[in-house]
Amino acid sequence: MYLKDFNQMVKCRFFDKEKGLDESLRYVEEVKTSGFCTQKDFGSIAVYPDNGELVVQINANKWNLLSDSVDVNYFHVYDKKLTTFRIFEQGKKFDLTYTSWWADRDDFDVDPMAASCEEENSEEDIFGYLKMLKENKEAANNLLGLWSKNIGQ
């Protein structure tokens, strides 16, 4: 299946659930996409439909994002310009602290009182996007339906 590259929305990558992301990029207009992906220093991240579930796959680990047993944390440590993302379920977890997407931006007003709820998180950071999907089940279910229709096309 093809997944849009989160950092280059006009491009996509082929994704295999077992092998991961293909390195080559294609323009989105050439294929139908079924989710989002990106490549980071630690590996790959993908969100896609699989058998009626909205799956988050980070390297080889998979979670059903819409399951009540899956917890997602996403927060900023403003004074250090760091962001932490965690996804976990019954002993299976992924935990990462990294430089915040806004750390070097002059146009971003740091607001610790916002408690990591800035709308831009889901637009600028794939982990912020995953947190938004976890909190907004209606949007997540709509995408699940749309993306499921595109698989295999």
Side-chain angles (χ1 to χ4, degrees):
M1 82 182 91
Y2 285 91
L3 305 177
K4 278 187 184 179
D5 188 291
F6 190 81
N7 298 316
Q8 301 179 66
M9 293 291 196
V10 298
K11 295 186 179 179
C12 62
R13 297 173 186 263
F14 183 77
F15 177 75
D16 181 288
K17 297 175 212 172
E18 304 303 320
K19 296 177 184 175
L21 290 173
D22 186 326
E23 293 298 316
S24 60
L25 291 164
R26 294 180 66 170
Y27 283 97
V28 170
E29 69 241 9
E30 297 173 9
V31 295
K32 293 198 179 250
T33 58
S34 299
F36 282 106
C37 66
T38 195
Q39 191 74 33
K40 298 282 189 182
D41 294 340
F42 59 83
S44 64
I45 306 155
V47 57
Y48 58 90
D50 190 24
N51 296 320
E53 296 179 348
L54 188 58
V55 173
V56 171
Q57 183 170 336
I58 301 175
N59 297 321
N61 292 317
K62 298 178 186 179
W63 295 265
N64 174 6
L65 187 62
L66 299 180
S67 171
D68 291 337
S69 64
V70 173
D71 288 315
V72 174
N73 299 130
Y74 177 88
F75 59 91
H76 303 302
V77 180
Y78 289 94
D79 61 334
K80 295 182 180 178
K81 297 184 177 185
L82 295 174
T83 299
T84 295
F85 174 81
R86 290 186 190 109
I87 185 168
F88 52 95
E89 175 184 39
Q90 301 171 352
K92 179 174 51 171
K93 72 174 187 170
F94 175 81
D95 191 339
L96 180 69
T97 298
Y98 55 98
T99 302
S100 299
W101 63 265
W102 45 263
D104 295 326
R105 290 190 40 183
D106 294 333
D107 65 333
F108 183 79
D109 291 326
V110 174
D111 183 5
M113 299 306 291
S116 299
C117 294
E118 298 89 358
E119 287 183 25
E120 296 95 334
N121 287 333
S122 64
E123 298 166 4
E124 301 289 340
D125 185 348
I126 194 164
F127 293 122
Y129 183 74
L130 296 176
K131 176 65 173 172
M132 179 278 298
L133 289 176
K134 180 67 177 172
E135 290 178 344
N136 188 338
K137 294 210 189 266
E138 183 178 345
N141 280 314
N142 288 340
L143 287 171
L144 175 61
L146 175 69
W147 290 342
S148 294
K149 291 177 187 175
N150 290 344
I151 291 177
Q153 292 188 17

Short mmCIF file of all heavy atoms in Angstrom, two decimals, residues 28-85:
data_model
loop_
_atom_site.label_atom_id
_atom_site.label_comp_id
_atom_site.label_asym_id
_atom_site.label_seq_id
_atom_site.Cartn_x
_atom_site.Cartn_y
_atom_site.Cartn_z
N VAL A 28 1.97 11.82 -5.14
CA VAL A 28 0.69 11.30 -4.69
C VAL A 28 -0.31 11.17 -5.83
O VAL A 28 -1.09 10.23 -5.87
CB VAL A 28 0.11 12.19 -3.56
CG1 VAL A 28 -1.32 11.83 -3.24
CG2 VAL A 28 0.97 12.08 -2.33
N GLU A 29 -0.28 12.10 -6.80
CA GLU A 29 -1.28 12.05 -7.86
C GLU A 29 -1.19 10.78 -8.69
O GLU A 29 -2.12 10.42 -9.41
CB GLU A 29 -1.19 13.28 -8.78
CG GLU A 29 0.06 13.32 -9.62
CD GLU A 29 0.94 14.52 -9.34
OE1 GLU A 29 0.67 15.25 -8.39
OE2 GLU A 29 1.90 14.71 -10.10
N GLU A 30 -0.10 10.03 -8.59
CA GLU A 30 0.08 8.80 -9.35
C GLU A 30 -0.63 7.60 -8.72
O GLU A 30 -0.89 6.62 -9.39
CB GLU A 30 1.57 8.48 -9.49
CG GLU A 30 2.35 9.52 -10.25
CD GLU A 30 3.85 9.26 -10.22
OE1 GLU A 30 4.27 8.19 -9.77
OE2 GLU A 30 4.59 10.15 -10.67
N VAL A 31 -0.92 7.66 -7.41
CA VAL A 31 -1.49 6.51 -6.69
C VAL A 31 -2.49 6.97 -5.62
O VAL A 31 -2.50 8.13 -5.24
CB VAL A 31 -0.39 5.67 -6.00
CG1 VAL A 31 0.54 5.03 -7.00
CG2 VAL A 31 0.38 6.51 -5.01
N LYS A 32 -3.30 6.05 -5.15
CA LYS A 32 -4.19 6.32 -4.02
C LYS A 32 -3.45 5.93 -2.75
O LYS A 32 -2.79 4.90 -2.70
CB LYS A 32 -5.48 5.54 -4.14
CG LYS A 32 -6.32 6.01 -5.32
CD LYS A 32 -7.74 5.56 -5.17
CE LYS A 32 -8.55 6.05 -6.34
NZ LYS A 32 -9.47 7.07 -6.03
N THR A 33 -3.56 6.76 -1.73
CA THR A 33 -2.84 6.51 -0.48
C THR A 33 -3.79 6.02 0.60
O THR A 33 -4.99 6.29 0.57
CB THR A 33 -2.10 7.77 0.01
OG1 THR A 33 -3.03 8.82 0.18
CG2 THR A 33 -1.02 8.17 -1.00
N SER A 34 -3.22 5.30 1.56
CA SER A 34 -4.01 4.67 2.62
C SER A 34 -3.49 5.01 4.01
O SER A 34 -3.59 4.19 4.93
CB SER A 34 -4.00 3.15 2.45
OG SER A 34 -4.57 2.79 1.22
N GLY A 35 -2.89 6.17 4.18
CA GLY A 35 -2.40 6.56 5.49
C GLY A 35 -1.23 7.51 5.38
O GLY A 35 -0.99 8.10 4.32
N PHE A 36 -0.50 7.63 6.49
CA PHE A 36 0.67 8.50 6.55
C PHE A 36 1.87 7.73 7.06
O PHE A 36 1.73 6.74 7.79
CB PHE A 36 0.43 9.69 7.50
CG PHE A 36 -0.41 10.77 6.92
CD1 PHE A 36 -1.72 10.93 7.32
CD2 PHE A 36 0.10 11.64 5.97
CE1 PHE A 36 -2.51 11.93 6.79
CE2 PHE A 36 -0.67 12.64 5.42
CZ PHE A 36 -1.98 12.78 5.84
N CYS A 37 3.05 8.22 6.70
CA CYS A 37 4.29 7.61 7.18
C CYS A 37 5.38 8.67 7.23
O CYS A 37 5.24 9.76 6.67
CB CYS A 37 4.73 6.48 6.26
SG CYS A 37 5.19 7.05 4.60
N THR A 38 6.46 8.33 7.89
CA THR A 38 7.66 9.15 7.83
C THR A 38 8.83 8.30 8.32
O THR A 38 8.65 7.28 8.97
CB THR A 38 7.52 10.45 8.66
OG1 THR A 38 8.57 11.34 8.29
CG2 THR A 38 7.57 10.20 10.14
N GLN A 39 10.00 8.75 7.96
CA GLN A 39 11.25 8.10 8.36
C GLN A 39 11.97 9.03 9.32
O GLN A 39 12.09 10.21 9.07
CB GLN A 39 12.11 7.83 7.12
CG GLN A 39 13.29 6.94 7.36
CD GLN A 39 12.89 5.48 7.54
OE1 GLN A 39 11.94 5.02 6.95
NE2 GLN A 39 13.61 4.78 8.37
N LYS A 40 12.42 8.49 10.45
CA LYS A 40 13.16 9.25 11.46
C LYS A 40 14.50 8.55 11.72
O LYS A 40 14.76 7.49 11.18
CB LYS A 40 12.36 9.34 12.76
CG LYS A 40 11.03 10.04 12.65
CD LYS A 40 11.21 11.52 12.61
CE LYS A 40 9.88 12.24 12.71
NZ LYS A 40 10.00 13.66 12.63
N ASP A 41 15.31 9.16 12.57
CA ASP A 41 16.62 8.58 12.91
C ASP A 41 16.49 7.17 13.49
O ASP A 41 17.33 6.32 13.24
CB ASP A 41 17.37 9.45 13.91
CG ASP A 41 17.77 10.79 13.31
OD1 ASP A 41 17.81 10.91 12.08
OD2 ASP A 41 18.04 11.72 14.10
N PHE A 42 15.45 6.91 14.26
CA PHE A 42 15.28 5.63 14.94
C PHE A 42 14.57 4.60 14.08
O PHE A 42 14.47 3.44 14.43
CB PHE A 42 14.50 5.81 16.25
CG PHE A 42 13.15 6.41 16.03
CD1 PHE A 42 12.08 5.62 15.66
CD2 PHE A 42 12.96 7.76 16.17
CE1 PHE A 42 10.84 6.18 15.43
CE2 PHE A 42 11.72 8.33 15.96
CZ PHE A 42 10.66 7.53 15.59
N GLY A 43 13.99 5.02 12.95
CA GLY A 43 13.27 4.08 12.08
C GLY A 43 12.05 4.71 11.45
O GLY A 43 12.00 5.92 11.21
N SER A 44 11.04 3.90 11.20
CA SER A 44 9.86 4.37 10.48
C SER A 44 8.61 4.38 11.36
O SER A 44 8.50 3.63 12.32
CB SER A 44 9.61 3.50 9.25
OG SER A 44 9.29 2.19 9.64
N ILE A 45 7.69 5.25 10.96
CA ILE A 45 6.39 5.38 11.61
C ILE A 45 5.35 5.32 10.50
O ILE A 45 5.51 5.98 9.47
CB ILE A 45 6.25 6.73 12.34
CG1 ILE A 45 7.39 6.93 13.30
CG2 ILE A 45 4.91 6.84 13.04
CD1 ILE A 45 7.66 8.38 13.58
N ALA A 46 4.28 4.57 10.73
CA ALA A 46 3.20 4.50 9.75
C ALA A 46 1.87 4.40 10.48
O ALA A 46 1.78 3.80 11.55
CB ALA A 46 3.39 3.29 8.84
N VAL A 47 0.85 5.01 9.91
CA VAL A 47 -0.52 4.85 10.40
C VAL A 47 -1.36 4.49 9.18
O VAL A 47 -1.32 5.18 8.16
CB VAL A 47 -1.03 6.11 11.15
CG1 VAL A 47 -0.96 7.35 10.30
CG2 VAL A 47 -2.42 5.89 11.70
N TYR A 48 -2.10 3.35 9.29
CA TYR A 48 -2.81 2.81 8.14
C TYR A 48 -3.92 1.86 8.63
O TYR A 48 -3.90 1.40 9.77
CB TYR A 48 -1.84 2.05 7.22
CG TYR A 48 -1.12 0.91 7.92
CD1 TYR A 48 -1.67 -0.37 7.94
CD2 TYR A 48 0.08 1.12 8.58
CE1 TYR A 48 -1.02 -1.41 8.59
CE2 TYR A 48 0.74 0.08 9.24
CZ TYR A 48 0.18 -1.18 9.23
OH TYR A 48 0.81 -2.21 9.89
N PRO A 49 -4.88 1.55 7.75
CA PRO A 49 -5.93 0.61 8.12
C PRO A 49 -5.47 -0.83 7.92
O PRO A 49 -4.73 -1.13 6.98
CB PRO A 49 -7.06 0.95 7.15
CG PRO A 49 -6.37 1.49 5.95
CD PRO A 49 -5.12 2.16 6.44
N ASP A 50 -5.92 -1.71 8.81
CA ASP A 50 -5.61 -3.13 8.68
C ASP A 50 -6.74 -3.93 9.34
O ASP A 50 -6.92 -3.85 10.56
CB ASP A 50 -4.27 -3.46 9.33
CG ASP A 50 -3.79 -4.86 9.00
OD1 ASP A 50 -4.20 -5.41 7.97
OD2 ASP A 50 -3.00 -5.41 9.79
N ASN A 51 -7.49 -4.64 8.55
CA ASN A 51 -8.59 -5.47 9.05
C ASN A 51 -9.54 -4.71 9.98
O ASN A 51 -9.88 -5.18 11.07
CB ASN A 51 -8.04 -6.71 9.76
CG ASN A 51 -7.30 -7.63 8.82
OD1 ASN A 51 -7.73 -7.83 7.68
ND2 ASN A 51 -6.20 -8.18 9.28
N GLY A 52 -9.94 -3.52 9.56
CA GLY A 52 -10.90 -2.73 10.33
C GLY A 52 -10.31 -1.97 11.50
O GLY A 52 -11.04 -1.33 12.26
N GLU A 53 -9.00 -2.03 11.67
CA GLU A 53 -8.33 -1.30 12.75
C GLU A 53 -7.47 -0.19 12.16
O GLU A 53 -6.98 -0.31 11.04
CB GLU A 53 -7.43 -2.24 13.57
CG GLU A 53 -8.18 -3.33 14.28
CD GLU A 53 -7.26 -4.25 15.06
OE1 GLU A 53 -6.02 -4.21 14.87
OE2 GLU A 53 -7.78 -5.03 15.87
N LEU A 54 -7.29 0.87 12.93
CA LEU A 54 -6.37 1.94 12.54
C LEU A 54 -5.06 1.65 13.26
O LEU A 54 -4.94 1.85 14.46
CB LEU A 54 -6.93 3.31 12.93
CG LEU A 54 -6.15 4.51 12.40
CD1 LEU A 54 -6.06 4.49 10.87
CD2 LEU A 54 -6.80 5.80 12.87
N VAL A 55 -4.10 1.16 12.51
CA VAL A 55 -2.84 0.67 13.08
C VAL A 55 -1.77 1.75 13.06
O VAL A 55 -1.61 2.45 12.07
CB VAL A 55 -2.34 -0.57 12.29
CG1 VAL A 55 -0.96 -1.00 12.75
CG2 VAL A 55 -3.34 -1.71 12.44
N VAL A 56 -1.07 1.87 14.18
CA VAL A 56 0.16 2.65 14.25
C VAL A 56 1.28 1.64 14.29
O VAL A 56 1.28 0.74 15.15
CB VAL A 56 0.22 3.54 15.50
CG1 VAL A 56 1.60 4.17 15.66
CG2 VAL A 56 -0.84 4.62 15.43
N GLN A 57 2.21 1.75 13.36
CA GLN A 57 3.37 0.85 13.34
C GLN A 57 4.62 1.70 13.46
O GLN A 57 4.86 2.57 12.63
CB GLN A 57 3.39 0.01 12.07
CG GLN A 57 4.53 -0.98 12.06
CD GLN A 57 4.42 -1.98 10.92
OE1 GLN A 57 3.33 -2.25 10.41
NE2 GLN A 57 5.55 -2.56 10.54
N ILE A 58 5.40 1.42 14.48
CA ILE A 58 6.70 2.07 14.67
C ILE A 58 7.73 0.96 14.60
O ILE A 58 7.76 0.09 15.48
CB ILE A 58 6.76 2.85 16.00
CG1 ILE A 58 5.66 3.92 16.02
CG2 ILE A 58 8.14 3.47 16.18
CD1 ILE A 58 5.53 4.67 17.32
N ASN A 59 8.51 0.98 13.54
CA ASN A 59 9.39 -0.13 13.21
C ASN A 59 8.56 -1.40 13.15
O ASN A 59 7.61 -1.45 12.41
CB ASN A 59 10.59 -0.18 14.15
CG ASN A 59 11.45 1.08 14.03
OD1 ASN A 59 11.65 1.58 12.93
ND2 ASN A 59 11.91 1.60 15.15
N ALA A 60 8.84 -2.43 13.95
CA ALA A 60 8.08 -3.68 13.88
C ALA A 60 6.91 -3.72 14.87
O ALA A 60 6.08 -4.63 14.80
CB ALA A 60 9.01 -4.86 14.14
N ASN A 61 6.81 -2.76 15.79
CA ASN A 61 5.75 -2.77 16.80
C ASN A 61 4.47 -2.14 16.25
O ASN A 61 4.52 -1.11 15.58
CB ASN A 61 6.18 -2.01 18.05
CG ASN A 61 7.28 -2.74 18.78
OD1 ASN A 61 7.24 -3.95 18.95
ND2 ASN A 61 8.29 -2.00 19.20
N LYS A 62 3.33 -2.77 16.58
CA LYS A 62 2.04 -2.30 16.09
C LYS A 62 1.05 -2.13 17.24
O LYS A 62 1.05 -2.91 18.19
CB LYS A 62 1.45 -3.31 15.09
CG LYS A 62 2.28 -3.52 13.87
CD LYS A 62 1.65 -4.57 12.98
CE LYS A 62 2.56 -4.90 11.81
NZ LYS A 62 1.98 -5.94 10.95
N TRP A 63 0.21 -1.09 17.10
CA TRP A 63 -0.86 -0.82 18.05
C TRP A 63 -2.13 -0.49 17.27
O TRP A 63 -2.06 0.18 16.24
CB TRP A 63 -0.54 0.37 18.94
CG TRP A 63 0.62 0.20 19.84
CD1 TRP A 63 0.60 -0.21 21.14
CD2 TRP A 63 2.00 0.46 19.53
NE1 TRP A 63 1.87 -0.22 21.66
CE2 TRP A 63 2.75 0.18 20.69
CE3 TRP A 63 2.67 0.89 18.39
CZ2 TRP A 63 4.13 0.32 20.74
CZ3 TRP A 63 4.04 1.02 18.43
CH2 TRP A 63 4.76 0.74 19.59
N ASN A 64 -3.29 -0.89 17.80
CA ASN A 64 -4.58 -0.45 17.27
C ASN A 64 -4.89 0.88 17.94
O ASN A 64 -5.27 0.92 19.11
CB ASN A 64 -5.67 -1.48 17.56
CG ASN A 64 -7.05 -1.00 17.15
OD1 ASN A 64 -7.21 0.06 16.56
ND2 ASN A 64 -8.05 -1.78 17.49
N LEU A 65 -4.70 1.97 17.23
CA LEU A 65 -4.82 3.30 17.82
C LEU A 65 -6.18 3.56 18.45
O LEU A 65 -6.30 4.28 19.43
CB LEU A 65 -4.52 4.36 16.76
CG LEU A 65 -4.44 5.80 17.25
CD1 LEU A 65 -3.30 5.97 18.25
CD2 LEU A 65 -4.26 6.75 16.09
N LEU A 66 -7.23 2.95 17.91
CA LEU A 66 -8.58 3.21 18.41
C LEU A 66 -8.98 2.31 19.59
O LEU A 66 -10.05 2.48 20.15
CB LEU A 66 -9.59 3.08 17.27
CG LEU A 66 -9.37 4.07 16.12
CD1 LEU A 66 -10.41 3.87 15.04
CD2 LEU A 66 -9.37 5.50 16.62
N SER A 67 -8.11 1.39 19.96
CA SER A 67 -8.41 0.52 21.09
C SER A 67 -8.35 1.30 22.40
O SER A 67 -7.44 2.10 22.62
CB SER A 67 -7.40 -0.64 21.14
OG SER A 67 -7.55 -1.36 22.35
N ASP A 68 -9.30 1.03 23.29
CA ASP A 68 -9.30 1.69 24.60
C ASP A 68 -8.11 1.26 25.46
O ASP A 68 -7.75 1.95 26.41
CB ASP A 68 -10.61 1.38 25.35
CG ASP A 68 -11.80 2.07 24.72
OD1 ASP A 68 -11.61 3.08 24.01
OD2 ASP A 68 -12.94 1.58 24.91
N SER A 69 -7.49 0.13 25.13
CA SER A 69 -6.35 -0.34 25.92
C SER A 69 -5.03 0.30 25.50
O SER A 69 -4.00 0.09 26.14
CB SER A 69 -6.23 -1.87 25.84
OG SER A 69 -5.97 -2.27 24.51
N VAL A 70 -5.05 1.09 24.43
CA VAL A 70 -3.84 1.79 23.95
C VAL A 70 -3.86 3.21 24.50
O VAL A 70 -4.83 3.93 24.34
CB VAL A 70 -3.77 1.80 22.42
CG1 VAL A 70 -2.62 2.68 21.92
CG2 VAL A 70 -3.63 0.39 21.88
N ASP A 71 -2.76 3.59 25.16
CA ASP A 71 -2.62 4.95 25.67
C ASP A 71 -1.57 5.70 24.86
O ASP A 71 -0.55 5.13 24.48
CB ASP A 71 -2.17 4.93 27.14
CG ASP A 71 -3.29 4.49 28.06
OD1 ASP A 71 -4.42 4.98 27.90
OD2 ASP A 71 -3.03 3.66 28.94
N VAL A 72 -1.85 6.98 24.61
CA VAL A 72 -0.93 7.84 23.88
C VAL A 72 -0.70 9.10 24.71
O VAL A 72 -1.65 9.73 25.15
CB VAL A 72 -1.50 8.22 22.50
CG1 VAL A 72 -0.61 9.24 21.80
CG2 VAL A 72 -1.68 6.99 21.63
N ASN A 73 0.56 9.41 24.94
CA ASN A 73 0.94 10.67 25.61
C ASN A 73 1.78 11.49 24.65
O ASN A 73 2.63 10.95 23.94
CB ASN A 73 1.76 10.41 26.87
CG ASN A 73 1.04 9.60 27.91
OD1 ASN A 73 1.57 8.63 28.41
ND2 ASN A 73 -0.18 9.97 28.24
N TYR A 74 1.55 12.78 24.68
CA TYR A 74 2.30 13.72 23.84
C TYR A 74 2.35 15.02 24.61
O TYR A 74 1.30 15.59 24.93
CB TYR A 74 1.60 13.90 22.50
CG TYR A 74 2.24 14.90 21.57
CD1 TYR A 74 3.25 14.51 20.70
CD2 TYR A 74 1.85 16.23 21.57
CE1 TYR A 74 3.83 15.42 19.83
CE2 TYR A 74 2.42 17.15 20.71
CZ TYR A 74 3.41 16.74 19.84
OH TYR A 74 3.99 17.64 18.99
N PHE A 75 3.55 15.47 24.93
CA PHE A 75 3.66 16.73 25.68
C PHE A 75 5.00 17.39 25.43
O PHE A 75 5.97 16.73 25.05
CB PHE A 75 3.42 16.52 27.18
CG PHE A 75 4.38 15.56 27.82
CD1 PHE A 75 5.57 15.99 28.38
CD2 PHE A 75 4.08 14.20 27.88
CE1 PHE A 75 6.44 15.11 28.98
CE2 PHE A 75 4.96 13.31 28.48
CZ PHE A 75 6.14 13.77 29.04
N HIS A 76 5.02 18.71 25.66
CA HIS A 76 6.23 19.50 25.49
C HIS A 76 6.81 19.89 26.85
O HIS A 76 6.07 20.13 27.80
CB HIS A 76 5.93 20.81 24.74
CG HIS A 76 5.29 20.62 23.41
ND1 HIS A 76 5.88 19.90 22.40
CD2 HIS A 76 4.13 21.08 22.90
CE1 HIS A 76 5.10 19.92 21.33
NE2 HIS A 76 4.02 20.63 21.62
N VAL A 77 8.13 19.93 26.90
CA VAL A 77 8.84 20.54 28.02
C VAL A 77 9.36 21.86 27.46
O VAL A 77 10.40 21.90 26.79
CB VAL A 77 9.98 19.64 28.54
CG1 VAL A 77 10.70 20.31 29.71
CG2 VAL A 77 9.44 18.27 28.94
N TYR A 78 8.58 22.91 27.68
CA TYR A 78 8.81 24.18 26.99
C TYR A 78 10.17 24.80 27.26
O TYR A 78 10.83 25.27 26.33
CB TYR A 78 7.69 25.17 27.32
CG TYR A 78 6.38 24.78 26.69
CD1 TYR A 78 5.44 24.03 27.38
CD2 TYR A 78 6.11 25.15 25.38
CE1 TYR A 78 4.25 23.68 26.78
CE2 TYR A 78 4.91 24.80 24.78
CZ TYR A 78 3.99 24.05 25.48
OH TYR A 78 2.81 23.69 24.89
N ASP A 79 10.61 24.80 28.51
CA ASP A 79 11.88 25.47 28.81
C ASP A 79 13.08 24.76 28.21
O ASP A 79 14.12 25.36 27.99
CB ASP A 79 12.05 25.68 30.32
CG ASP A 79 12.07 24.39 31.11
OD1 ASP A 79 11.49 23.38 30.65
OD2 ASP A 79 12.65 24.38 32.21
N LYS A 80 12.94 23.47 27.88
CA LYS A 80 14.04 22.72 27.27
C LYS A 80 13.82 22.51 25.76
O LYS A 80 14.67 21.92 25.10
CB LYS A 80 14.20 21.37 27.96
CG LYS A 80 14.62 21.53 29.40
CD LYS A 80 14.83 20.18 30.05
CE LYS A 80 15.25 20.39 31.51
NZ LYS A 80 15.43 19.13 32.19
N LYS A 81 12.67 22.96 25.26
CA LYS A 81 12.32 22.80 23.85
C LYS A 81 12.34 21.33 23.43
O LYS A 81 12.84 20.97 22.36
CB LYS A 81 13.22 23.65 22.95
CG LYS A 81 13.08 25.14 23.20
CD LYS A 81 13.90 25.95 22.24
CE LYS A 81 13.68 27.44 22.48
NZ LYS A 81 14.36 28.27 21.51
N LEU A 82 11.78 20.49 24.29
CA LEU A 82 11.72 19.06 24.03
C LEU A 82 10.26 18.59 24.00
O LEU A 82 9.40 19.17 24.67
CB LEU A 82 12.46 18.28 25.10
CG LEU A 82 13.97 18.51 25.18
CD1 LEU A 82 14.56 17.78 26.39
CD2 LEU A 82 14.64 18.04 23.89
N THR A 83 10.01 17.55 23.25
CA THR A 83 8.70 16.91 23.18
C THR A 83 8.88 15.44 23.51
O THR A 83 9.86 14.82 23.09
CB THR A 83 8.08 17.07 21.78
OG1 THR A 83 7.92 18.47 21.51
CG2 THR A 83 6.74 16.38 21.67
N THR A 84 7.91 14.89 24.23
CA THR A 84 7.91 13.46 24.53
C THR A 84 6.66 12.84 23.95
O THR A 84 5.57 13.39 24.07
CB THR A 84 7.96 13.22 26.05
OG1 THR A 84 9.20 13.70 26.55
CG2 THR A 84 7.85 11.73 26.38
N PHE A 85 6.84 11.69 23.31
CA PHE A 85 5.74 10.89 22.78
C PHE A 85 5.85 9.50 23.36
O PHE A 85 6.94 8.93 23.40
CB PHE A 85 5.79 10.82 21.25
CG PHE A 85 4.77 9.88 20.67
CD1 PHE A 85 3.46 10.30 20.49
CD2 PHE A 85 5.11 8.60 20.32
CE1 PHE A 85 2.51 9.44 19.97
CE2 PHE A 85 4.17 7.72 19.79
CZ PHE A 85 2.86 8.15 19.61
#
